[in-house]
Amino acid sequence: DWDVYEMQLKALQKQLVVLGEHLQKSGDLIVIVFEGRDAAGKGGAISTYLQYLNPRWNIHVALPKPSDRESKQWYFQRYIDWFPAASETVLYDRSWYNRAGVEPVMGFCTPEQTDAFLDEAPRFERMLVRDGIHLFKFWLAIGRETQLKRFHSRRHDPLKQWKISDIDIAALGKWDSYTDAAHRMLKETSQPETPWHVVLANDKQRARLELIRTLLASMDYAGKDPKAVGEVDEKIVVDPDRYISQHSQS
């Protein structure tokens, strides 16, 4: 029901504003990584999160493919350039996890580079958390039929055509390869200090609510209203092991 969705969303967005006020006083830093299937709703979730927040302190990062210079840097370097300073939240629309997903599947890196990344990423992220950064990692999952419907909508809607790329089209025939890559990534980089939250996102509205709710429920901040935040729906937000066990054949 759209009215129920709007009511719940506004309550959560008000809590995001309260959290933002807390961050201004505490100086805490937040990094949010949005990964997932193509057309899973990463951009829409980020826009919903940011809707009523001050863009000075809440930064949406969607990097293009690396330049020639960037391709010769330490792999994490161009992402670190966008890390938050005091009181800021940075939201990555795809992140360093390109090296565990699109790059190996599309042949943009070597297997050895992916192996090295999967070894290094957990240690890199533990450094961030131990230095006080609040790190959230969301992987948005959708079914193959939902993905095809969304691609069709994008391709035939003049207002959405910018959302579909040649890489997206090429990826249509690589569903199983992306599945294998995602499952490996989730297994090897979801650690107690830096867990992945898998968000089942066939229903965009429910996914957005539960994603925001997961972050708010995990944060301790002045003015927090537990009733407004509510309980995370474990049918929508699942841990990687449960997700992989249920979707290993899909």
Side-chain angles (χ1 to χ4, degrees):
D1 183 275
W2 183 260
D3 290 336
V4 173
Y5 165 70
E6 285 285 301
M7 179 182 67
Q8 292 187 19
L9 178 60
K10 285 295 183 291
L12 293 171
Q13 288 174 325
K14 287 177 183 177
Q15 285 296 294
L16 287 176
V17 172
V18 173
L19 172 61
E21 293 170 350
H22 171 84
L23 296 176
Q24 290 302 299
K25 296 175 182 176
S26 69
D28 285 355
L29 316 175
I30 298 178
V31 170
I32 314 174
V33 169
F34 291 80
E35 293 287 346
R37 294 281 188 181
D38 295 319
K42 297 177 290 294
I46 291 171
S47 296
T48 301
Y49 185 101
L50 294 174
Q51 187 172 1
Y52 296 107
L53 300 181
N54 188 334
R56 177 179 294 179
W57 305 105
N58 297 271
I59 303 159
H60 179 183
V61 177
L63 299 182
K65 68 179 183 180
S67 66
D68 288 343
R69 182 174 184 275
E70 288 172 334
S71 66
K72 297 174 178 65
Q73 293 174 342
W74 177 45
Y75 179 72
F76 294 94
Q77 186 169 335
R78 73 186 193 121
Y79 298 101
I80 291 173
D81 283 345
W82 290 91
F83 269 19
S87 304
E88 291 178 345
T89 297
V90 173
L91 302 90
Y92 285 92
D93 186 346
R94 295 206 181 277
S95 66
W96 46 93
Y97 280 101
N98 281 330
R99 180 130 295 179
V102 64
E103 289 187 18
V105 171
M106 299 305 296
F108 298 151
C109 70
T110 67
E112 292 76 19
Q113 287 174 316
T114 296
D115 291 344
F117 169 81
L118 291 171
D119 177 62
E120 293 165 3
R123 289 182 285 153
F124 169 68
E125 292 169 358
R126 279 196 294 271
M127 290 171 58
L128 307 183
V129 172
R130 290 172 183 175
D131 204 47
I133 292 176
H134 299 279
L135 175 64
F136 293 90
K137 302 188 297 185
F138 294 105
W139 199 82
L140 278 64
I142 56 173
R144 195 169 194 172
E145 183 178 350
T146 299
Q147 185 185 62
L148 289 170
K149 286 179 179 177
R150 292 183 185 175
F151 275 155
H152 184 271
S153 172
R154 291 177 178 187
R155 190 163 194 175
H156 295 281
D157 185 339
L159 298 177
K160 295 181 179 179
Q161 285 177 355
W162 63 272
K163 289 186 173 186
I164 193 165
S165 68
D166 291 341
I167 294 294
D168 294 332
I169 298 300
L172 282 173
K174 296 181 179 290
W175 178 270
D176 291 338
S177 297
Y178 271 106
T179 297
D180 292 342
H183 288 186
R184 183 186 179 197
M185 178 198 78
L186 293 169
K187 285 179 181 177
E188 297 191 25
T189 63
S190 190
Q191 304 292 323
E193 291 174 282
T194 57
W196 278 101
H197 303 280
V198 178
V199 183
L200 306 184
N202 279 346
D203 183 326
K204 289 182 181 180
Q205 283 73 38
R206 293 181 72 185
R208 292 168 186 173
L209 292 175
E210 298 309 320
L211 187 153
I212 296 172
R213 187 171 280 125
T214 297
L215 184 141
L216 290 170
S218 301
M219 293 291 295
D220 182 19
Y221 56 95
K224 183 174 183 176
D225 182 348
K227 185 176 180 181
V229 173
E231 298 288 332
V232 177
D233 187 344
E234 295 181 355
K235 296 186 183 72
I236 302 297
V237 181
V238 302
D239 68 72
D241 288 341
R242 178 181 158 201
Y243 173 75
I244 291 168
S245 69
Q246 293 176 346
H247 295 82
S248 58
Q249 301 302 317
S250 63

